[in-house]
Amino acid sequence: MMLLALKLILAHFIGDFVLQPAHWVEDKLAKKGRSKYLYFHIGVHLLALLIILQFEYILPIAVIVVTHFLIDLGKLSLSNSKNYRWLFVVDQVLHLLVLGGVLYWIQPFPLDFGALSTTKTLLLITFLIFVTYVSGIVMRMLLAPYIDEVAKDDASSEGGSLKNAGTYIGMLERLFVFGFILMQQWAAIGLLIAAKSVFRFGDLNKGKNRKLTEYVLIGTLLSFGLAILSGMCYLYLAEQV
């Protein structure tokens, strides 16, 4: 089963990413179902599946190719500049669901949905939500007294910031720290802190904005502290289960 799953996913990656030039994507977005590159793209998928699967499972391959065409056509028909990113995610999820269905059709495998409701699984999901979303809200509450003051001082500084960049950076760094703790890689956390210091505090020092530097330092220490505490609590509770 694993070998067949890898072949199906490899064919999908090759057809959808490796052998799809950027100008194909642009033409499809502009012309939708009238784009010749949509059909070239489907042809590449068909060829990749036939070669990787060595011309076995012709009927499942036909199902994959037809559903891929319909999913892509639906995505192109609905896409615009505002929803394109989300439709891309939906598109990939649907493709993978089709591959999973075909895999189950060819080589049935047990589906144990009960594993999703085990104590350890729910514990992990709970901590992941805390590390990503809840921690960010807690930090904003703790840093609230300083936000207005820092914003005033930073308003006159040169340059700007990407929308929600700080939120996503915080989520990613806490996820990395949480993962490193689960893997018992404490040295990697030090490397992550050092890397962030090099990129972030160098710019702050050039800006000569002491209040902003202190604000970012407090936020960074809070972020890493919450992630480390979450990782240690998870490991302790996981051992008790």
Side-chain angles (χ1 to χ4, degrees), residues 1 3 8 12 41-42 44 58 63 86 91-92 94 149 163 193 196 228 233 235:
M1 184 192 76
L3 178 60
L8 291 173
H12 174 70
H41 174 61
I42 298 302
V44 169
I58 297 300
V63 171
W86 294 109
D91 169 78
Q92 293 301 315
L94 290 176
E149 185 176 357
K163 184 179 180 181
I193 295 175
K196 184 175 181 180
I228 292 172
C233 287
L235 290 176

Side-chain angles (χ1 to χ4, degrees), residues 176-194 224-236 239:
F176 274 118
V177 172
F178 186 75
F180 289 148
I181 291 176
L182 266 57
M183 295 184 292
Q184 297 295 311
Q185 296 295 325
W186 290 89
I189 299 176
L191 180 62
L192 185 61
I193 295 175
F224 278 89
L226 286 171
I228 292 172
L229 182 62
S230 298
M232 295 177 66
C233 287
Y234 172 78
L235 290 176
Y236 174 78
E239 291 179 356

Side-chain angles (χ1 to χ4, degrees), residues 6-232:
L6 290 173
K7 287 182 177 180
L8 291 173
I9 294 174
L10 177 60
H12 174 70
F13 284 169
I14 291 175
D16 234 21
F17 299 99
V18 179
L19 298 181
Q20 183 171 206
H23 71 274
W24 285 22
V25 177
E26 294 170 359
D27 191 81
K28 288 192 299 179
L29 287 172
K31 298 180 180 178
K32 312 294 184 181
R34 295 179 288 104
S35 173
K36 64 181 180 180
Y37 294 115
L38 172 62
Y39 304 94
F40 289 177
H41 174 61
I42 298 302
V44 169
H45 258 289
L46 174 60
L47 186 60
L49 285 165
L50 289 174
I51 292 175
I52 292 177
L53 294 179
Q54 299 178 349
F55 292 83
E56 292 185 276
Y57 313 116
I58 297 300
L59 184 56
I61 288 176
V63 171
I64 293 173
V65 171
V66 171
T67 54
H68 195 103
F69 171 76
L70 294 175
I71 292 171
D72 276 14
L73 185 61
K75 180 190 72 172
L76 292 172
S77 301
L78 297 173
S79 65
N80 54 51
S81 58
K82 295 181 179 179
N83 64 12
Y84 176 70
R85 290 181 303 166
W86 294 109
L87 283 178
F88 170 78
V89 174
V90 173
D91 169 78
Q92 293 301 315
V93 169
L94 290 176
H95 288 322
L96 293 176
L97 287 175
V98 170
L99 294 182
V102 168
L103 178 62
Y104 186 79
W105 175 21
I106 299 173
Q107 296 182 1
F109 52 89
L111 297 173
D112 185 12
F113 294 106
L116 297 176
S117 60
T118 62
T119 304
K120 281 193 174 182
T121 302
L122 293 176
L123 182 65
L124 178 60
I125 294 173
T126 300
F127 272 92
L128 287 176
I129 293 176
F130 176 81
V131 166
T132 51
Y133 290 95
V134 179
S135 292
I137 296 173
V138 171
M139 288 176 56
R140 282 199 294 271
M141 296 297 293
L142 293 175
L143 294 172
Y146 312 108
I147 292 177
D148 292 337
E149 185 176 357
V150 170
K152 290 178 182 178
D153 290 344
D154 191 45
S156 59
S157 63
E158 296 182 359
S161 176
L162 295 175
K163 184 179 180 181
N164 296 324
T167 299
Y168 294 132
I169 291 172
M171 285 184 177
L172 288 172
E173 73 183 20
R174 289 192 295 275
L175 280 174
F176 274 118
V177 172
F178 186 75
F180 289 148
I181 291 176
L182 266 57
M183 295 184 292
Q184 297 295 311
Q185 296 295 325
W186 290 89
I189 299 176
L191 180 62
L192 185 61
I193 295 175
K196 184 175 181 180
S197 300
V198 169
F199 286 108
R200 192 69 174 98
F201 296 120
D203 294 336
L204 291 171
N205 186 50
K206 291 177 183 178
K208 305 298 182 181
N209 191 332
R210 181 173 179 178
K211 290 182 180 179
L212 180 60
T213 302
E214 292 173 342
Y215 175 82
V216 173
L217 180 58
I218 294 172
T220 297
L221 293 176
L222 274 174
S223 181
F224 278 89
L226 286 171
I228 292 172
L229 182 62
S230 298
M232 295 177 66

